Amino acid sequence: MLAQMQQNFQDWLVHAGNDTPSLLGLHATRGLAAYQNNYRTQLVNCLRASYPQLLAWMGEEAFLAVAIAHIDSHPPSAWTLDAYGADFGDSLRTLYPHNPDLRELAWIEWALSDAFVAADAATMALAQLAEVDWDAAHLQLAPSLRQHTLTTNAAVIWSALVDGVAPPEAQMLEVPAGVIVWRREFTSRLMQVDAIEHAALLALRDDDRFDALCAALVEELGEQDGVARAGALLANWIGAGLVVGVSAVG
Amino acid sequence: MSHSLPSFAGYGLGLRREHYRDFLETEVPVDFVEVISENYMVDGGQPRHILRQLRERHPVILHGVSMSIGSADGLKDAYLRRLRTLADEIQPLYVSDHVSWSRFAHFNSHDLLPLPYTEETLEVVCRNIHHAQEALGRPMLFENPSSYVSFAASAMSEAEFLAEMTRRTGCGLLLDINNVFVSAHNHGWDAEAYLRDIPPQCVRQIHLAGHTEGDGMLIDSHDQPVPGGVWSLYAKAIASFGQVATMIERDDNIPPLAELLDELAMARGFGRHLQEAA
């Protein structure tokens, strides 16, 4: 009985039909609308809070239309309301298939929020590096690191919106560009990276050995430039908190 | 379970982001702080860091909104593990949630939905409470909900349901006076009779909040100061239950901290008056 009521109630919340209340076994139904209103208002507010720059970019009316479509097609299932907007990009793709700037802007905003509460990483002592056997070294990436390939100038649009200046028109990039999002201390950051750095960071997820990174860069750039680039990248990554540990444990 | 429910007769506030700086940089005159558990059941970052700092200054109550203790298909262990990790780190004064349901199967409404007060519901809720208290290694508090509908199948009053729930599980009650006021108005209950049916020894915490009125119903909006009718009911409640941990709960239309502290001072005044009258 209780299970059936809960199934009926959730069906009614999701589909907002007029006929279901009779299935709920309610004695007094006058206040039923309050639950439908709470459910939808809360989800809309959650999406608005998750995507403030996308909301500013699209405008209130267009954003709300996507939010309503998303709520109808993606009933919430995660343990926390904060996770509800994770697949908002799906609805943007469906409703605006020819506007990749929208879903790429959404990716940026979601990744920044996600990184904000990602697992903490220990601070690496630089003294550790002096003792590293680099031929056997494994690099540990920050748990907050997220990567994506952008086809539009969404990163520039996002920056302009955050800075409160007029954003440029949406444009396709001549060549897709890599962006990374990560958290340093308590602040999430967004940075565009070149193709070599983007590929190097992606490759580290499958093979975290420093010598594999060197080998890949040598193949790409030649012996001298490849090794030099590997060293430069590593120094930058450690400095920026993208690499948070170096170990020789196999 | 290795813990018991302590008695704590202090006065506190619910922590909201708007007041982080006040709580971390000034001496806020509260005896405890209540936080929404789910906001801190994250892997890391600033929210956990702030909570750790706050815990060094005040006792903390973890108040959840997503356990869904009335779910007919049971609780989610992944949720309980996250909450256990947080509770073990923070060592809260109490861990609480609501007598409601929000999740069934793969759907999670993220709202506090009403339950019919039947023997079947009681069995489900008590089974889930036993599960939660075992998983967390401590007894919990559960809060009476505000509700806008009632079920034909209900065979007992809400207060009778809560009393039997505490008797079967050993959990305590977080009595939300505003929720009693709102539900009593919406369903035509006698709020004072409701309080009389609550076992006094089970009440460990009280919430005070405001509501809004629309279409003849009261809505538990938590966006207004505590109104006079709720204060009157609070006075009757502490006359029955004695002084327990009492806080102002404000979730929307958040005012400056000083305004909430003024409301908390009123609560303290009721407590003092009770002591003087004793």
Side-chain angles (χ1 to χ4, degrees), chain A residues 6 10 25 27 35 42 76-77 120, chain B residues 45 70 72 106 108 110 148 150 152:
Chain A
Q6 292 180 345
Q10 76 178 45
H27 179 62
Y35 293 103
Q42 184 162 244
S77 59
D120 296 325
Chain B
H106 299 297
N108 193 332
H110 298 295
Y148 313 111
S150 59

Side-chain angles (χ1 to χ4, degrees), chain A residues 108-194:
Chain A
I108 290 169
E109 291 207 87
W110 190 260
L112 288 164
S113 300
D114 208 24
F116 185 69
V117 292
D120 296 325
T123 309
M124 193 167 62
L126 289 178
Q128 276 180 268
L129 298 178
E131 297 160 11
V132 169
D133 172 3
W134 290 102
D135 290 339
H138 293 253
L139 307 183
Q140 185 190 343
L141 293 170
S144 60
L145 176 63
R146 278 96 176 104
Q147 281 183 261
H148 198 57
T149 301
L150 298 184
T151 62
T152 71
N153 60 339
V156 178
I157 294 169
W158 178 83
S159 296
L161 290 166
V162 167
D163 293 342
V165 300
E169 293 287 315
Q171 287 181 336
M172 297 301 291
L173 299 176
E174 287 181 16
V175 179
V179 283
I180 59 172
V181 164
W182 82 108
R183 188 182 79 234
R184 190 165 185 200
E185 295 187 339
F186 299 124
T187 305
S188 296
R189 293 158 192 270
L190 169 73
M191 188 169 77
Q192 198 153 325
V193 291
D194 69 22

Side-chain angles (χ1 to χ4, degrees), chain B residues 99-114:
Chain B
V99 180
S100 61
W101 70 282
S102 49
R103 186 198 54 72
F104 182 74
H106 299 297
F107 172 79
N108 193 332
S109 69
H110 298 295
D111 194 11
L112 303 171
L113 300 175

Side-chain angles (χ1 to χ4, degrees), chain B residues 257-273:
Chain B
L257 185 64
E259 289 184 28
L260 297 180
L261 288 170
D262 285 347
E263 286 192 282
L264 196 61
M266 279 187 68
R268 287 184 197 272
F270 278 100
R272 264 198 311 276
H273 181 72

Side-chain angles (χ1 to χ4, degrees), chain A residues 1-2 6-7 10 14 25-28 30-31 35 38 42 76-81 116-120 183 186, chain B residues 41 43-46 49 66 70 72 82 101 104 106-108 110-111 113-114 116 120 147-152 215 217:
Chain A
M1 285 286 287
L2 183 64
Q6 292 180 345
Q7 182 69 58
Q10 76 178 45
V14 171
L26 295 174
H27 179 62
R30 192 169 55 117
Y35 293 103
N38 283 353
Q42 184 162 244
S77 59
W79 67 273
T80 173
L81 179 63
F116 185 69
V117 292
D120 296 325
R183 188 182 79 234
F186 299 124
Chain B
M41 289 162 61
D43 293 331
Q46 194 178 42
H49 177 70
S66 299
R82 275 185 184 270
W101 70 282
F104 182 74
H106 299 297
F107 172 79
N108 193 332
H110 298 295
D111 194 11
L113 300 175
E120 182 201 7
S147 61
Y148 313 111
V149 294
S150 59
F151 294 86
D215 198 22
M217 304 280 292

Side-chain angles (χ1 to χ4, degrees), chain B:
Chain B
M1 283 177 293
S2 56
H3 296 64
S4 59
L5 286 170
S7 295
F8 186 89
Y11 295 85
L13 290 177
L15 180 70
R16 300 297 175 257
R17 288 190 180 92
E18 290 82 348
H19 302 141
Y20 274 173
R21 188 176 289 267
D22 294 302
F23 273 95
L24 294 176
E25 295 180 2
T26 67
E27 291 295 324
V28 179
V30 293
D31 303 315
F32 70 90
V33 172
E34 184 189 86
V35 300
I36 302 298
S37 308
E38 288 79 4
N39 290 346
Y40 303 89
M41 289 162 61
V42 291
D43 293 331
Q46 194 178 42
R48 284 292 275 266
H49 177 70
I50 286 174
L51 186 57
R52 283 193 286 269
Q53 286 183 288
L54 193 72
R55 181 66 185 91
E56 289 173 9
R57 293 168 168 243
H58 303 285
V60 167
I61 293 175
L62 296 178
H63 182 52
V65 294
S66 299
M67 185 174 282
S68 193
I69 205 71
S71 280
D73 58 351
L75 305 183
K76 290 292 185 188
D77 284 322
Y79 176 90
L80 294 172
R81 281 194 295 274
R82 275 185 184 270
L83 182 54
R84 172 78 190 239
T85 300
L86 181 65
D88 283 351
E89 179 182 349
I90 298 303
Q91 291 299 311
L93 179 58
Y94 301 124
V95 179
S96 63
D97 210 292
H98 299 80
V99 180
S100 61
W101 70 282
S102 49
R103 186 198 54 72
F104 182 74
H106 299 297
F107 172 79
N108 193 332
S109 69
H110 298 295
D111 194 11
L112 303 171
L113 300 175
L115 290 164
Y117 296 124
T118 65
E119 180 57 33
E120 182 201 7
T121 304
L122 195 53
E123 286 172 12
V124 166
V125 166
C126 291
R127 185 167 61 241
N128 288 343
I129 291 176
H130 282 304
H131 182 180
Q133 293 185 148
E134 280 299 317
L136 298 176
R138 68 192 75 224
M140 292 183 64
L141 306 184
F142 285 92
E143 177 180 345
N144 57 300
S146 54
S147 61
Y148 313 111
V149 294
S150 59
F151 294 86
S154 287
M156 60 192 99
S157 71
E158 183 172 290
E160 289 167 340
F161 184 94
L162 298 177
E164 185 61 14
M165 178 187 83
T166 59
R167 192 188 68 75
R168 292 189 194 182
T169 66
C171 75
L173 291 179
L174 159 51
L175 194 67
D176 189 311
I177 301 294
N178 179 56
N179 288 353
V180 175
F181 189 91
V182 165
S183 293
H185 174 91
N186 291 344
H187 303 305
W189 301 342
D190 179 341
E192 292 181 37
Y194 184 107
L195 295 181
R196 284 195 295 274
D197 285 341
I198 295 292
Q201 73 280 6
C202 295
V203 179
R204 286 290 189 278
Q205 190 189 349
I206 284 177
H207 274 176
L208 295 168
H211 53 255
T212 50
E213 183 165 7
D215 198 22
M217 304 280 292
L218 295 185
I219 303 293
D220 175 32
S221 52
H222 290 188
D223 60 355
Q224 301 293 323
V226 179
V230 173
W231 283 120
S232 299
L233 199 56
Y234 173 61
K236 294 183 174 81
I238 59 172
S240 297
F241 309 136
Q243 285 178 273
V244 297
T246 297
M247 60 161 267
I248 308 296
E249 189 182 36
R250 189 72 169 258
D251 294 323
D252 211 347
N253 190 23
I254 307 284
L257 185 64
E259 289 184 28
L260 297 180
L261 288 170
D262 285 347
E263 286 192 282
L264 196 61
M266 279 187 68
R268 287 184 197 272
F270 278 100
R272 264 198 311 276
H273 181 72
L274 183 72
Q275 278 180 325
E276 288 163 5

Side-chain angles (χ1 to χ4, degrees), chain A residues 58 62-63 65-66 91-100 102-103:
Chain A
M58 294 180 73
F63 184 90
V66 182
S91 294
L92 290 164
R93 183 187 298 275
T94 301
L95 292 174
Y96 290 93
H98 305 302
N99 295 77
L102 301 182
R103 53 185 179 269

